[in-house]
């Protein structure tokens, strides 16, 4: 029997009681996040329907960032958007109001608002299909860093409420245009993701933070996670893969002769990395990405170094593949 909640406070109470049950299993944790967000959406939608009636057209509410990739940690922020079929002032007003209510509800349940405004309460991320098409084409033409970043964010979109085909149409448009421009845009995307912070020294030692509250820890999001995520995303875009989770992208790439067996090795390393992240005992969003080296066993440190080195090899491989197409 499906759970029903009348308020965001009830969802928050349920979240606080149940999250302990799933916090040490990556798949269960992300299914739980999806379920939480869907409950928030239903409350928000019911509230907006009482005020403004039913939605004026078909639509899709989608997650981006770690949520879009099905890779949220225990504590997560908001990254979401909306696309609807009808282009009209009425539809724009309705769905933006809905987006604002969803953002409010998610914040009440414990999801921090996105610092960059990547939320369906922001008109940039809440548009009709036609307006989204224009925006995507504009981002591709503009060729500036901010537009490239926004394209990369959109590439991780995953529908959790509404019509999946509405979003799929936009993704197909983006992939087709990427194919037409002979790899130039992919190379620009590569430039945006080239910085890999050094965390292993010349003699194989870890290089942790030396100052502040995270002294003695390493930021696995910046030094390991993004290496895998960014590399695999670029390869997936090159190959026209629409799936968003890094694991699924690696599985699809492994089916192609040009990538083959090596993707299975990267998949295993990334799964280990997801497991390492679950060890975090942080109580706030920023600290969630740091792993204290003092709390790792000698074996775990060896495993983590191997994961990081494997990620660097993946990045170099992806870089070579993308640059060959420039």
């Amino acid at each position: 029997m499906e759970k029903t909640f009348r308020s965001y406070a009830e969802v928050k109470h349920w979240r606080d009681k149940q999250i302990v049950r799933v916090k040490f299993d990556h798949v269960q944790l992300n299914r739980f996040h999806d379920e939480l967000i869907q409950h928030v959406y239903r409350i928000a939608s019911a509230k907006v329907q009482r005020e403004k009636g039913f939605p004026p057209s078909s639509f899709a509410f989608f997650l981006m960032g770690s949520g879009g990739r099905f890779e949220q940690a225990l504590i997560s922020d908001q990254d979401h958007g909306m696309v609807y079929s009808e282009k009209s002032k009425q539809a724009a007003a309705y769905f933006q109001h809905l987006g604002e209510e969803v953002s409010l509800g998610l914040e009440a349940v414990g999801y921090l608002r996105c610092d960059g405004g990547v939320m369906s309460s922001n008109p940039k991320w809440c548009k009709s299909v036609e307006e989204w098409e224009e925006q995507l084409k504009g981002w591709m033409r503009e060729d500036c860093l901010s537009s490239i970043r926004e394209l990369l964010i959109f590439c991780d979109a995953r529908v959790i409420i509404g019509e999946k085909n509405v979003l799929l149409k936009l993704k197909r448009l983006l992939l087709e245009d990427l194919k037409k421009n002979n790899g130039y845009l992919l190379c620009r995307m590569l430039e945006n993701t080239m910085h890999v912070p050094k965390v292993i020294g010349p003699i194989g030692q870890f290089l942790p933070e030396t100052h502040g509250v995270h002294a003695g820890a390493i930021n696995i999001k910046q030094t390991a996670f993004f290496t895998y995520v960014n590399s695999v995303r670029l390869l997936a875009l090159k190959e026209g893969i629409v799936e968003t989770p890094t694991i699924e992208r690696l599985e699809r790439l492994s089916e192609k002769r040009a990538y083959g067996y090596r993707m299975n090795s990267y998949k295993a390393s990334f799964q280990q990395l997801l497991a390492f992240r679950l060890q975090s005992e942080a109580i706030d969003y920023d600290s969630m990405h740091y792993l204290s080296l003092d709390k790792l066993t000698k074996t775990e440190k060896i495993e983590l170094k191997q994961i990081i080195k494997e990620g660097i090899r993946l990045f170099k491989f992806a870089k070579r593949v993308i640059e060959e197409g420039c």
Side-chain angles (χ1 to χ4, degrees), residues 21-201:
R21 178 177 54 84
V22 299
K23 64 184 293 186
F24 296 116
D25 184 295
H26 167 71
V27 173
Q28 287 188 31
L29 175 61
N30 275 270
R31 284 176 180 159
F32 185 65
H33 277 301
D34 278 7
E35 193 175 355
L36 275 170
I37 294 166
Q38 287 163 347
H39 283 308
V40 168
Y41 174 85
R42 291 186 189 105
I43 294 170
S45 179
K47 184 174 185 292
V48 171
Q49 284 182 30
R50 289 193 297 270
E51 297 167 354
K52 296 182 176 291
F54 289 102
S57 75
S58 60
F59 69 98
F61 173 71
F62 53 89
L63 303 181
M64 293 171 284
S66 60
R69 296 190 307 274
F70 200 71
E71 292 163 6
Q72 292 188 86
L74 189 66
I75 302 170
S76 188
D77 64 348
Q78 298 186 38
D79 290 286
H80 51 84
M82 216 172 294
V83 53
Y84 45 90
S85 299
E86 179 186 308
K87 182 185 177 183
S88 67
K89 289 183 179 179
Q90 178 198 7
Y94 185 95
F95 287 109
Q96 184 160 352
H97 181 63
L98 176 57
E100 289 169 352
E101 185 59 38
V102 171
S103 296
L104 182 71
L106 288 172
E107 186 176 25
V109 169
Y111 294 92
L112 299 174
R113 286 181 178 264
C114 174
D115 288 341
V118 183
M119 298 177 289
S120 51
S121 53
N122 182 344
K124 181 186 285 188
W125 300 98
C126 183
K127 294 181 179 294
S128 69
V129 174
E130 184 179 335
E131 291 165 327
W132 261 113
E133 288 177 352
E134 292 170 2
Q135 179 160 267
L136 289 172
K137 289 175 181 176
W139 285 344
M140 286 185 273
R141 284 193 306 268
E142 286 164 11
D143 190 24
C144 62
L145 284 178
S146 61
S147 296
I148 296 295
R149 287 193 193 102
E150 284 161 337
L151 280 171
L152 289 168
I153 291 168
F154 178 80
C155 289
D156 288 344
R158 176 175 65 93
V159 173
I160 64 164
I161 295 283
E163 302 290 332
K164 292 185 179 180
N165 286 336
V166 182
L167 180 67
L168 188 60
K169 181 181 177 183
L170 295 174
K171 285 200 168 188
R172 296 288 186 202
L173 170 74
L174 173 58
L175 292 171
E176 285 168 15
D177 278 20
L178 281 173
K179 209 168 191 178
K180 288 175 186 174
N181 69 16
N182 297 319
Y184 173 76
L185 193 55
L186 277 174
C187 286
R188 293 287 286 128
M189 289 177 169
L190 176 65
E191 290 172 17
N192 188 264
T193 57
M194 282 182 72
H195 178 62
V196 180
K198 197 170 183 180
V199 72
I200 298 177

Side-chain angles (χ1 to χ4, degrees), residues 42-43 50 82 92 97 130 152 171 191 231 240 244 267 269 271 273 288 291 295 299 301 323:
R42 291 186 189 105
I43 294 170
R50 289 193 297 270
M82 216 172 294
H97 181 63
E130 184 179 335
L152 289 168
K171 285 200 168 188
E191 290 172 17
S231 302
T244 57
K267 175 186 168 184
S269 293
Q271 286 174 320
L273 182 59
M288 181 59 57
L291 200 58
K295 295 183 180 179
T299 300
K301 288 177 183 177
E323 286 179 341

Side-chain angles (χ1 to χ4, degrees), residues 98 319 321:
L98 176 57
K319 184 174 182 289
V321 170

